[in-house]
């Protein structure tokens, strides 16, 4: 007896079912992959959205802080203008100098509130003409061998103020406090002044203070800083001698705090300050090789700021 031969139609139907099943399985896998891809895209979108919202909130907080600070500066300026005793007029130079260190500090802020723009060539002291207010102040109340940071002498003192005035678009000093300091048995031999120095960043700033930012690789930082105004927290320590002349003048400028709101990150601040023509005590120098950069500006420091 011969074995039964499968019917051709039955074999064809079975193959068709297997093919349809494989096709359906492949379609399901594709659908699952698309769903997984969609979920991944949605997750990335949500993450970017949250990051954007966080960045936006941080920018708003920074702007609010700057607004409060500027309002405080405006209030201080208005108070200074309305209160003549806050920054008294310079003493009458025809008599002996009898002002104490506090009056000297107040007079200094008033004299240099907009910097120093001499009309004659350096050196300015000694000179016959004393028509300029800043020169008169230095001649009468600054010791000829005054020590200020890495420099000494009246002309070096004035030169630093000339550079700040010339290398920036504008300069404005706004004091916030004057504090007498005791030194041994002389309760009024020193004074600490807390103030803010507002500076406009212009082309001359990048030629003389931040020349490295003119290189192509720093074009982004250069463009972000150009024509910006920064507000530099500043501390002055003045020490006088028995004749009420300033024999030591130490300044401290917090350029990190001034640049951080404009640049948004300490990494960018480090790039700007690392090769700047400015010393750790705020002296503007003519070449990088002679400048001792503040070690706190190193990238290893700013990346570990709390």
């Amino acid at each position: 007896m011969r074995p039964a031969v499968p019917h051709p139609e039955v074999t064809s139907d079975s193959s068709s079912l297997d093919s349809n099943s494989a096709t359906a399985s492949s379609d399901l896998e594709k659908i699952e992959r698309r769903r997984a891809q969609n979920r991944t895209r949605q997750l990335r979108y949500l993450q970017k959205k949250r990051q954007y919202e966080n960045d936006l909130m941080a920018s708003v907080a920074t702007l609010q802080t700057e607004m409060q600070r500027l309002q405080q500066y405006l209030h201080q300026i208005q108070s200074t203008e309305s209160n003549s005793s806050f920054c008294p007029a310079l003493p009458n130079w025809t008599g002996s100098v009898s002002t104490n260190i506090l009056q000297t500090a107040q007079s200094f802020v008033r004299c240099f509130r907009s910097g120093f723009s001499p009309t004659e060539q350096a050196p300015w002291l000694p000179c016959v003409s004393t028509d300029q207010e800043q020169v008169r102040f230095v001649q009468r109340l600054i010791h000829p061998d005054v020590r200020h940071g890495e420099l000494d002498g009246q002309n070096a003192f004035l030169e630093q103020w000339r550079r700040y005035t010339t290398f920036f678009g504008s300069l404005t000093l706004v004091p916030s406090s004057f504090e007498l300091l005791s030194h041994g048995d002389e309760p009024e031999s020193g004074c600490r002044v807390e103030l803010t120095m507002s500076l406009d960043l212009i082309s001359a700033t990048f030629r003389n203070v931040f020349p490295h930012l003119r290189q192509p690789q720093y074009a982004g930082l250069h463009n972000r800083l150009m024509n910006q105004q920064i507000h530099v927290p500043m501390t002055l320590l003045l020490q006088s001698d028995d004749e009420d002349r300033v024999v030591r003048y130490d300044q401290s400028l917090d350029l990190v705090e001034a640049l951080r709101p404009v640049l948004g990150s300490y990494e960018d601040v480090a790039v700007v300050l690392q090769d700047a023509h400015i010393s750790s005590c705020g002296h503007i120098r003519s070449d990088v090789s002679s400048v001792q950069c503040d070690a706190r500006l190193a990238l290893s420091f700013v990346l570990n700021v709390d």
Side-chain angles (χ1 to χ4, degrees), residues 112-131:
F112 289 87
R113 63 189 180 276
S114 299
F116 174 55
S117 300
T119 56
E120 62 270 16
Q121 297 293 325
W124 304 280
L125 295 172
C127 66
V128 177
S129 175
T130 58
D131 295 336

Side-chain angles (χ1 to χ4, degrees), residues 122-141:
W124 304 280
L125 295 172
C127 66
V128 177
S129 175
T130 58
D131 295 336
Q132 194 160 15
E133 187 179 30
Q134 292 94 341
V135 174
R136 291 164 50 210
F137 174 88
V138 171
Q139 281 185 316
R140 296 292 182 174
L141 293 179

Side-chain angles (χ1 to χ4, degrees), residues 1 22 45 60 76 95 134 137 147 164 179 185 195-197 219 231 247 267-269 280 285 290 299 301 306:
M1 185 175 180
Y45 171 77
V60 170
Q76 291 172 350
Q134 292 94 341
F137 174 88
R147 183 71 181 174
Y164 270 98
E179 178 186 358
D185 297 332
L195 63 163
T196 299
M197 181 165 60
H231 306 286
V247 294
E267 291 86 348
D268 288 341
V269 172
S280 58
R285 307 295 288 266
S290 64
L299 191 60
F301 166 77
D306 293 333

Side-chain angles (χ1 to χ4, degrees), residues 79-89 102-103 106-107 178:
S79 299
T80 301
E81 292 177 349
S82 62
N83 186 3
S84 59
S85 63
F86 185 71
C87 284
L102 178 60
Q103 291 174 322
Q106 293 173 335
S107 296
F178 295 85

